[in-house]
Amino acid sequence: MKIEINYQQKDDMPVDKAKVTVEAQSFSDDVQNLMKTIDNLDNHTDVVPLAVDDRVVMIQLDKIIAIEVYKNELTVYTQVKAYKLRGKLKEMYQRLNNGDFIQISKSAVINLNHLSSLEASFSGNMLAFMDNDEKLTVSRKYLTQLKESLGM
């Protein structure tokens, strides 16, 4: 989807407010995703609380490298430590409301800012090499979306 952006100054609007109007031929998935992204800008947080063991740990989003799930156990990889907690990948992915994170398989989400390289793998899949030397499989189903996010 090609996006055209126009700015129009309105002197009668409050300084701390902006109005965004989305015009499109139809209410497609791309339009819905665009509107969600715009809406999330207003709800943007820089930290995510993780319930680990008997405490809640506050993790800065930019420190998260990747998240994997096995059954109902999430592993959140940071530059310093891997945190294990109970949860669902879909719910955690929704909490990461900035555009830096992308799902690469049914069981993994990565932070694009910590992606070092991609390498071809078996059956059309790819391997994602992360800053912390973690290797994650990018499944064919999610490969197109990843390439679009990287501008490929």
Side-chain angles (χ1 to χ4, degrees), residues 72-91:
N72 64 344
E73 183 179 77
L74 288 171
T75 304
V76 178
Y77 296 98
T78 67
Q79 296 161 326
V80 182
K81 187 176 178 180
Y83 297 92
K84 294 195 180 287
L85 59 144
R86 291 186 140 344
K88 296 181 180 178
L89 186 64
K90 181 179 179 180
E91 292 171 2

Side-chain angles (χ1 to χ4, degrees), residues 12-28:
D12 59 336
M13 287 191 70
V15 176
D16 63 341
K17 188 172 183 171
K19 180 180 177 183
V20 177
T21 303
V22 177
E23 296 178 9
Q25 183 180 23
S26 66
F27 197 58
S28 66

Side-chain angles (χ1 to χ4, degrees), residues 25-74:
Q25 183 180 23
S26 66
F27 197 58
S28 66
D29 288 342
D30 286 339
V31 171
Q32 290 178 41
N33 288 335
L34 175 62
M35 291 180 71
K36 280 183 194 174
T37 301
I38 292 169
D39 188 43
N40 283 339
L41 291 174
D42 196 30
N43 303 326
H44 183 71
T45 57
D46 292 333
V47 296
V48 64
L50 301 178
V52 180
D53 299 324
D54 293 336
R55 61 188 186 134
V56 176
V57 180
M58 303 303 281
I59 304 294
Q60 292 181 341
L61 292 180
D62 60 348
K63 303 292 186 211
I64 297 175
I65 295 172
I67 303 168
E68 281 188 299
V69 66
Y70 179 72
K71 295 188 180 178
N72 64 344
E73 183 179 77
L74 288 171

